[in-house]
Amino acid sequence: MKEGPDIALLGSLIGDPARANILTALMSGKALTATELALEAGVTVQTASSHLKKLQDAHLLRQRKQGRHRYFTLADDDVGSVLEAMMGLAAKRGLLRTRTGPRDEALRKARVCYNHLAGDLGVAIYDGMVSQGYLAEADDDVSLTRDGEDFAEAFGIDLASLVKSRRPMCKSCLDWSSRRTHLAGSLGSALLNRFYKLGWAARVEGSRVVEFSASGERSLLAKFAIKAPAS
């Protein structure tokens, strides 16, 4: 390809196993040091630093300095969405890692996708908001309706601050485990933070898993008109 976006370069950056592990680790939304990312990638700190520079040069990562430490995060929502979509494609094609464990079911139920909720509950929230007329879909675009604005504000979301941010309010994100849409964008992030603040859910330490309490899950199902899963 002689002209246009260089998808070959992007593919080579993401496709390297060590860099893929680094990027996947940052899907948790947490800022991690080069040392922590080296452990995730299974490489030395020196090698990890080389990988991190390449990812930064391509604007896939951001670096933050705090005291003597440097922390790395994904550059923005777009990077997280691409990674989630690639995970979905890999799962659909049967390109799965052989290691499985007890967290697999929990990851599929509810997990962090960079800064918003993914998994079965994330998809169910999106479907519930569409069915109640809070979200409007037009091809690949999704927007908050007037009823949706009333719903969000009543739920404690400060829409005025979201409008002022540079991020899109609503974005559709392909869920890798269910291969259906969940809600990203500033609203998706605000909803997840609201779940935390209400005490409905909490992050599992050292994992992307989001664990809802029994009462929190009941409240979520009721608020977003989600059908309880069959027992």
Side-chain angles (χ1 to χ4, degrees), residues 162-181:
L162 301 188
V163 170
K164 292 178 182 177
S165 73
R166 295 181 179 180
R167 296 171 57 195
M169 175 81 72
C170 301
K171 284 185 63 177
S172 62
C173 187
L174 181 64
D175 196 282
W176 73 257
S177 54
S178 67
R179 297 189 287 280
R180 294 176 58 204
T181 299

Side-chain angles (χ1 to χ4, degrees), residues 47-65:
T47 300
S49 295
S50 175
H51 287 310
L52 290 167
K53 185 178 186 308
K54 291 178 180 179
L55 293 170
Q56 276 188 274
D57 289 346
H59 307 292
L60 298 180
L61 297 185
R62 286 192 299 131
Q63 181 187 149
R64 300 176 181 175
K65 291 185 179 180

